[in-house]
Amino acid sequence: MLQRETSPARFFSFRHLRRQLFHLPIEETTFARRGFRGTDNQARQRLEQIGATFLLGYHTALEETDPSALAQRLNLIDRELRGFAFEGAAMGLALLDHLTPWNRRRLRYFVAGPGTDHIYMVHVGIGWVIGRLPWLRRHLKDYLKQLNPLLCWLALDGYGFHEGYFHWPHYVVEQKIPERLSAYGCRVFDQGLGRSLWFVDGADAGRIPVTIAKFDSSRHADLWSGVGLACAYAGGVNCTAIEVLQQAAGPYRPQMAQGAAFAAKARRRAGNGAEHTEAACRILCGLSADAAASITDEALENLSTNGDEPGYETWQKRIQTRFATENLV
């Protein structure tokens, strides 16, 4: 009599099938494949390493969807890079949730459990799925309601990064406006698009300001906010380059400082602080990374997510105002 296939074998086959169906080649994260414009080899290597780490997290989530087991594998990754792996894992879990309607709890369990320390990066990773699934964009408002009412906007930030990273000729060169987003949703999208410029322009302190200047001035503040976050979280440049960027930001220094403070907050919560984050915060915020992160915490006090203005916008404004009024930048 033939015996039924054992459970471990079935799980292996399912995992293997998921990996085969949704695999993203590591070449997709190289400058050569993407056509990015940076020329500094050190910055390129750093940014390609980040892309590879993201894909490692993504592929790990396709293979191991048990939240605890997944987190154990992700936590083996170098601490400083680990947030990018959690971001990629969130994309993988969100993708599986939407493609297997009989099991849509993977991401929810991950966010509530082992992914909570990387909650900011997880929500950004969710945004990659928005960029990948057109039917999700058609019902975006309903989907965002399922997420954290404050941090759901980070998913739109992730969506903006995805479009800039994978479709930069359309969104950076042609400056295409995303469809089906509210006016404020477009602004958060631009913050993610600003982050993508760190990769598209190869963290080039001379090129990034030129790229931003080509956009309508109404988009500059949010683009600079994204650049500040990427500069402080991803790194890849020296202090001189950061100072050049800060000077180029001009009146948008508070927005750039707010982005850097967000990076510091995300790293502090995850316990994966980095020397480049510390250096960026000293320059862009006029404070240590820990002090910059504390400003973001203070700005959350008595913050409502039920008012006419999105709570996320109020949070950012409070931080930006703090940096501007105290002349820290």
Side-chain angles (χ1 to χ4, degrees):
M1 179 182 294
L2 292 175
Q3 294 183 343
R4 295 179 63 185
E5 185 181 19
T6 62
S7 179
R10 288 204 306 276
F11 285 144
F12 173 79
S13 64
F14 292 157
R15 292 170 180 170
H16 181 72
L17 178 61
R18 289 197 295 261
R19 179 77 181 239
Q20 291 297 107
L21 287 175
F22 308 125
H23 176 75
L24 290 174
I26 194 170
E27 289 76 18
E28 289 294 317
T29 65
T30 64
F31 272 45
R33 175 67 179 87
R34 301 261 57 86
F36 292 160
R37 304 180 287 197
T39 58
D40 182 88
N41 285 333
Q42 183 176 349
R44 174 183 57 78
Q45 292 173 5
R46 166 66 179 178
L47 298 178
E48 288 183 342
Q49 180 186 36
I50 289 171
T53 305
F54 177 96
L55 285 187
L56 176 59
Y58 168 72
H59 290 136
T60 302
L62 296 182
E63 296 174 356
E64 182 59 81
T65 57
D66 175 75
S68 297
L70 172 59
Q72 288 178 359
R73 293 178 62 178
L74 296 177
N75 284 328
L76 296 176
I77 296 170
D78 180 81
R79 183 182 298 274
E80 188 268 311
L81 290 166
R82 197 173 296 165
F84 301 108
F86 272 81
E87 180 186 0
M91 176 191 173
L93 294 176
L95 181 66
L96 292 176
D97 278 356
H98 284 282
L99 297 179
T100 55
W102 58 89
N103 182 7
R104 290 188 169 179
R105 297 172 292 180
R106 301 178 185 88
L107 183 63
R108 186 191 316 164
Y109 288 157
F110 190 65
V111 170
T116 189
D117 286 345
H118 295 271
I119 191 72
Y120 301 101
M121 298 300 284
V122 166
H123 277 78
V124 170
I126 294 170
W128 284 57
V129 177
I130 297 174
R132 294 270 160 170
L133 302 180
W135 64 84
L136 186 56
R137 295 194 294 276
R138 288 195 291 269
H139 303 282
L140 189 55
K141 187 175 181 180
D142 291 335
Y143 180 55
L144 294 179
K145 288 181 179 178
Q146 301 174 33
L147 304 176
N148 180 290
L150 176 65
L151 301 182
C152 65
W153 296 102
L154 280 172
L156 291 187
D157 182 301
Y159 174 35
F161 179 89
H162 177 277
E163 299 301 88
Y165 189 90
F166 287 101
H167 308 295
W168 67 268
H170 295 301
Y171 287 92
V172 176
V173 178
E174 298 174 10
Q175 301 175 17
K176 179 180 177 182
I177 303 294
E179 300 177 352
R180 298 188 177 90
L181 292 186
S182 65
Y184 182 63
C186 286
R187 288 190 51 205
V188 180
F189 178 96
D190 275 354
Q191 291 163 26
L193 188 65
R195 283 195 304 114
S196 78
L197 296 182
W198 196 249
F199 292 77
V200 173
D201 282 341
D204 188 324
R207 186 185 295 270
I208 289 172
V210 174
T211 299
I212 292 178
K214 294 177 181 179
F215 283 80
D216 186 88
S217 60
S218 64
R219 304 179 70 179
H220 289 183
D222 293 308
L223 292 170
W224 276 112
S225 174
V227 169
L229 201 160
C231 175
Y233 196 95
V237 298
N238 58 31
C239 291
T240 299
I242 300 174
E243 291 169 351
V244 169
L245 275 172
Q246 187 191 44
Q247 289 296 319
Y252 304 109
R253 290 184 187 180
Q255 284 78 14
M256 202 177 183
Q258 171 260 306
F262 267 19
K265 169 62 178 177
R267 284 197 173 277
R268 185 170 74 175
R269 174 159 177 160
N272 60 355
E275 291 183 5
H276 66 260
T277 303
E278 181 68 30
C281 286
R282 292 283 183 185
I283 296 169
L284 300 178
C285 303
L287 298 168
S288 68
D290 189 64
S294 294
I295 284 181
T296 71
D297 287 336
E298 293 164 8
L300 283 172
E301 294 179 5
N302 301 314
L303 182 69
S304 172
T305 58
N306 299 318
D308 294 334
E309 181 178 81
Y312 190 72
E313 181 176 17
T314 303
W315 188 23
Q316 289 182 307
K317 282 183 177 178
R318 288 179 177 181
I319 298 168
Q320 293 164 11
T321 299
R322 177 82 175 269
F323 283 120
T325 58
E326 295 186 10
N327 296 317
L328 295 173
V329 297

